[in-house]
Amino acid sequence: MTDVTIAMLRAFCDAVEQRDGRAFAELFTAGGVYHDVFYGAFAGREKIAAMIDDWFYRTATDFRWDMHEPVSDGTTLYARYTFSYRSTLPEANGARAMFEGVAIMTLKDGKIAGYREVANTAPAFVDLNFAPERIAKIVAKQGAELKSRPEMQRHLA
């Protein structure tokens, strides 16, 4: 893995941990899109910055994000990650939620043109003391979104 790629991934994680949406958004192309596993798609630098500054920190604090074992062919970058935060939701009682996933980035001219992720979110919901009914509702929504992706249609037939 190149030093440039490692530096980009560290800047990516640092920007989230430091609540620096502007620095985070600058890692993306002008028309870049971040597809968040919880909140959906954010297109363009302004909305990507707002996702970090407003959405991520709306109900959480003390973020930690690390990328592991990155692999890239120059146009696509994959990295396994660990991600955690301290929830400010009342039912969480200040608990730290942690999960792991895989980041999938499309690269263009040294910037991120598209980001999406596959993550095991269920343990985080248990960490946050969510009621089983709430977890079931969230998982069902994520399943429906996954099934709506065109690349999944062949697997659903």
Side-chain angles (χ1 to χ4, degrees):
M1 193 55 39
T2 69
D3 290 342
V4 172
T5 302
I6 299 298
M8 181 188 69
L9 290 175
R10 188 67 258 155
F12 182 101
C13 296
D14 288 348
V16 173
E17 292 177 0
Q18 296 165 12
R19 194 178 187 172
D20 191 344
R22 185 178 199 175
F24 187 82
E26 285 300 315
L27 297 169
F28 287 76
T29 61
V33 180
Y34 184 106
H35 296 271
D36 185 72
V37 71
F38 292 117
Y39 301 120
F42 294 80
R45 289 183 179 140
E46 184 177 328
K47 289 186 178 175
I48 291 170
M51 177 192 68
I52 299 301
D53 294 337
D54 301 331
W55 289 84
F56 273 33
Y57 280 83
R58 186 173 293 169
T59 59
T61 188
D62 191 21
F63 285 83
R64 296 179 190 158
W65 200 340
D66 293 297
M67 297 285 182
H68 311 281
E69 304 164 344
V71 176
S72 179
D73 65 0
T75 58
T76 305
L77 170 61
Y78 296 92
R80 186 176 61 79
Y81 68 80
T82 50
F83 181 80
S84 69
Y85 57 88
R86 190 159 310 284
S87 178
T88 59
L89 293 170
E91 65 267 39
N93 296 319
R96 176 166 285 286
M98 195 282 295
F99 54 94
E100 64 181 343
V102 175
I104 305 159
M105 300 178 209
T106 304
L107 305 174
K108 184 177 180 183
D109 300 325
K111 299 276 186 180
I112 303 166
Y115 173 94
R116 64 186 174 94
E117 57 194 358
V118 178
N120 183 4
T121 58
F125 298 135
V126 173
D127 293 342
L128 297 176
N129 300 312
F130 282 13
E133 301 80 26
R134 185 170 181 191
I135 295 171
K137 185 177 178 181
I138 293 167
V139 171
K141 180 181 175 192
Q142 289 177 345
E145 289 171 1
L146 181 65
K147 288 178 183 178
S148 71
R149 292 184 186 169
E151 67 268 23
M152 296 303 295
Q153 298 312 304
R154 184 173 80 85
H155 299 277
L156 297 170

